[in-house]
Structures are given as C-alpha cells and as structure tokens.
Amino acid sequence: MEKFKVSGPTRLTGEIHLDGAKNACLPIFCASLLSSEELTVSNVPRLGDVQTLLALLRNLGVEIEVDFESKTCVLNGRGLNSNLVSYDLVKTMRASILTLGPLLARLGEVRVSLPGGCAIGQRPVDQHIKGLEKMGAEITLQEGYITAKANKLKGVRIVNDLVTVTGTENLMMAACLAEGHTVIENAAREPEIVDLARCLIAMGAKIQGVGTDIIRVEGVSQLHAASHQVIPDRIEAGTFICAIAACGGSVFVRNFEREIMGLTFEKLRSCGGEFLEVNGGLKVNFAKRPKAVSCQTAPYPGFATDMQAQLMAVNAVSDGVALIDESIFENRFMHVSEMQRMGADIKVKGRTAVVQGKKCLSAAKLMATDLRASAGLVLAALVADGESIVDRIYHLDRGYVNMDEKLAQLGADVLRIKG
Ligand code: UD1
C-alpha cells in the first residue's frame, strides 16, 4: 500500500495548476448514459474515482476513449447493453448511485446496488428514490439492490426533504428524458450541479433555474452529441490555500475561479494573509501564522464540508481558538484523533470541535480514513516538525491529482513510498 513520507515544517512557494473538478466530472460522465451520441469531455482529472466510474460505464456498454495526457474523454452510450450496477462497483465509490436516474430514464428498468454506510456516516439515498417514485417509477429494495421500473418517467413537482447534491443531480438527469415538466424544489446549488446542467443543455436538455433552489426541466425525447469542459476543482483550490495558510509561503494558484467558491473563500481569507485575484488565477501569500477561523459546514454557498478537515489543520496551528461545526455528516471528525496524536489541541463534543491553535505540531505515523480527512492529515504533516508517514493514501488519490507532486513542486518534502 502506498504512503506519503512528509518532512516538515515547510514553506510553500511557486505555482500550481488546478485540475478539473471530481464532483463535476463524475455526474457529467453519467450523463453519457442518457444519449446514444458522443459526449466529449475536456479538463478530465486523472483520479481514482474517475477511473472507477469509467470502468463501471464500460461495464454497462458505454464506449470510452480516454486520454489523461490531453485530459480528454469521449463517451458514447449507443451500445448501452446492461442495466445492472453491482455492489462490487458501488461499494468503492458512492457516486455510482448517479447511474440510477439516467439508466432508468433511458432504459425503463435498472438494478443498482445500494451504497450502504460509509466511513463518514450513513448517507442514505431515500431522496433519490422518493423523487423517482414521484416521477412514476416503481421501486423495490431487495437484497441490497434498488430495482426501479418505469416505461416512461413523468414530469412532476418534487420537493426534496433536504438538500442533496447527488440526489438533485440524479433527478435532474432523469427529468431530461421524462414526459413533461419537472420542478425540483429545495434543490442543491453546488457549482458542480450547474456544470452538469450546462453539459446537459449542450446535449439538448431544457433546464432552467440551475444554481437556485428551484430547478425546472422540460423533458425532451432524446439528447444529442455535445462537448463540455469541466470546471476547476474548488475543493482542490481550497485545500492548497489551506496548505499555504498553515505552512506560510507565496503561491500562484492557476485556474482559480472565485465565483464557484462561495463562503468557503471568505472563510479562507479570514485566516489572514494576502489574496490577489489576477487574470488566470489567485496569488496567495502568508507571511505570518494564520488566524483562527470558526465555521459551520452547510450546503453551497455555505462553507463546504469537503473543506472542514483542511481548515481544521490550519486552525490547529493558528493564533487563536476556533469552533468547527459539522452539520452535513454525522461522523466526519475522524482526522481529529490523528491530529491529536500530533499534539493538536482539539476537543470534540457532538458535532462541534473546539480547536486551540498551537505554534507547532509534531510528526507522527498517521492513518488516512477518507478522502478529505487524508488531505487534512497531509496538511498537518507539512507543518509538523519531523518526518510523518501518512498511510492509506489511496483515499487521497481518489480525489486529488498527484498531490505529492504538486506539493513537491512548491518546495515541500513529500515522497510517495511503498510498503
Ligand atoms: C456530495 C459530494 C461530496 C460532498 C457532499 C456534501 C459528489 C460526488 N459528492 O455527496 O463530496 O461531501 O455532496 O457537500 O458530489 N442525505 C439523505 N438522503 C438522501 C441523500 C442525502 O439523508 O437521499 C443526507 C446525507 O446523509 C448527508 C446530506 O444529506 O447528511 C448531504 O448529502 P448529499 O448532498 O447527498 O451528499 P452526496 O451527494 O453523497
């Protein structure tokens, strides 16, 4: 199993280039299931999750040509010949549930494994199921599988009980080929949903209101060929900004887009430092210890739960005390015990962590538990004194392109080792 060997503390200087957004790329690839014509996607990140989804789509009969050098992928759903998404594929990546809506809309019948629990909490899919049932699907849950049938989905008004990202995406994709007008209320507003909608519109879908909490979709009989460029990864952007805040230094973040960051960017700015938006990116400079910044995770445009562990690492070495409330997932503090082993002063009560900043952390052997927790641990290791080992970095490779190389490019002492 691969690990990172990180020697700290370090200062970061230079330039990094953001890759395409994982959480936009995954639903966009699933959109290829809705059409029997070519979908050309550019700015595709070379990530574990992207490769897993490509394998899954190939298994369903989607023809795929991918070139990670040019970051381009061409998908063609004309040969779609299976409607079964097995547990073996879903268990490694929860986003596989994004095949449910498109497959049902295109084929009229689908069997997709339930994702089950995962490290950061229960993560049910009841909202996906409820919405599709409202659209006329007959759904049964048996032996860990969702079986959904509908000769033709019908446009209806759906009011989600809570804000769900992949739930909104599944329903929006299904509604593209439904008969009539679908309204999705209490929809999620994440920039990745907007990006998916742009791709669907390029394919001929009729969608309005995306980016607001009411999305309207007028069903069409088929979607056609299109090209789409994936937006930059705002979570990768935030992670590198946190790394600079924690370590100090001066970095140009190429491809940075302020408009897709929401409150997350305001919180990162509150850490101190200097931020200058220029053509093509963002200059970030931290000369002093970061300030403590409290946050409560919330759906977009609120502070992203996918940035909580990284901001925790910044707070662990900040000048002050911060309160971090995790309101989206019930078990997303697994990085805390590892950071405590590095000397961080963090106390957790329920869904709130109180972080008292310290001047320095000490190196340790660390175990990554999920994607964003691993990013938080790598950041803590960069700033800690001595040699840390971060184990199970396959979690990190699911969602960050060559994080070790990008950090090394900024002068960090990070090595990928085996064993
Ligand atoms: C997506 C992101 C993930 C991010 C999360 C929250 C992708 C591929 N993944 O995950 O990186 O951390 O949004 O921003 O885009 N819920 C239900 N019932 C449902 C659906 C969700 O109770 O049917 C709950 C979940 O348990 C969670 C909350 O709603 O507590 C938000 O989950 P959701 O937005 O669905 O997360 P994902 O789409 O899985």
Side-chain angles (χ1 to χ4, degrees), residues 20 36 56 87 103 120 123 131 140 142 161 228 239 262 346 414 416:
S36 56
L56 187 162
Y87 177 67
L103 279 177
I120 62 173
R123 304 183 82 171
T140 47
Q142 255 177 349
D161 298 328
H228 181 78
T239 301
I346 307 172
V414 180
R416 185 181 287 260

Side-chain angles (χ1 to χ4, degrees), residues 108-346:
E109 183 166 351
V110 56
R111 202 157 172 255
V112 178
S113 170
L114 278 163
C118 78
I120 62 173
Q122 281 291 321
R123 304 183 82 171
V125 288
D126 55 304
Q127 298 303 305
H128 306 232
I129 293 172
K130 207 172 136 189
L132 292 173
E133 277 179 338
K134 194 105 197 269
M135 295 173 84
E138 244 177 66
I139 299 189
T140 47
L141 302 182
Q142 255 177 349
E143 295 161 2
Y145 278 80
I146 306 170
T147 302
K149 292 183 193 171
N151 279 340
K152 187 79 186 161
L153 291 169
K154 304 256 182 308
V156 285
R157 174 169 172 249
I158 299 165
V159 185
N160 287 332
D161 298 328
L162 49 83
V163 179
T164 154
V165 176
T166 48
T168 302
E169 290 166 342
N170 242 335
L171 298 176
M172 183 168 77
M173 286 193 277
C176 287
L177 294 184
E179 202 170 72
H181 191 77
T182 302
V183 181
I184 307 166
E185 292 188 27
N186 202 17
R189 294 182 279 165
E190 269 65 7
E192 292 75 19
I193 299 178
V194 178
D195 204 35
L196 168 65
R198 279 201 199 114
C199 175
L200 291 166
I201 290 167
M203 294 167 76
K206 294 191 174 153
I207 305 175
Q208 287 183 330
V210 74
T212 76
D213 59 359
I214 303 183
I215 297 177
R216 296 171 193 281
V217 186
E218 190 66 47
V220 296
S221 58
Q222 55 186 30
L223 297 180
H224 52 67
S227 297
H228 181 78
Q229 180 172 332
V230 175
I231 53 169
D233 197 313
R234 65 191 165 101
I235 305 301
E236 189 190 24
T239 301
F240 275 92
I241 293 172
C242 282
I244 305 157
C247 298
S250 179
V251 174
F252 181 56
V253 185
R254 192 169 284 287
N255 270 8
F256 175 84
E257 283 184 19
R258 165 72 191 89
E259 314 76 65
I260 58 172
M261 295 298 292
L263 181 66
T264 301
F265 187 56
E266 299 314 319
K267 288 286 172 186
L268 299 179
R269 273 159 89 105
S270 310
C271 295
E274 290 160 28
F275 291 76
L276 183 64
E277 284 174 66
V278 290
N279 205 6
L282 176 78
K283 286 182 183 167
V284 184
N285 182 40
F286 272 81
K288 285 195 276 192
R289 224 173 129 190
K291 294 180 198 154
V293 174
S294 296
C295 69
Q296 181 176 36
T297 62
Y300 190 84
F303 184 82
T305 173
D306 285 352
M307 281 301 305
Q308 181 256 104
Q310 301 88 314
L311 187 65
M312 178 111 50
V314 178
N315 277 313
V317 291
S318 73
D319 189 8
V321 185
L323 291 183
I324 298 191
D325 279 326
E326 174 53 62
S327 64
I328 306 279
F329 294 112
E330 69 269 26
N331 188 23
R332 210 171 194 183
F333 279 147
M334 278 169 306
H335 41 284
V336 169
S337 55
E338 295 299 87
M339 289 182 187
Q340 285 166 335
R341 292 177 52 246
M342 304 174 84
D345 183 348
I346 307 172

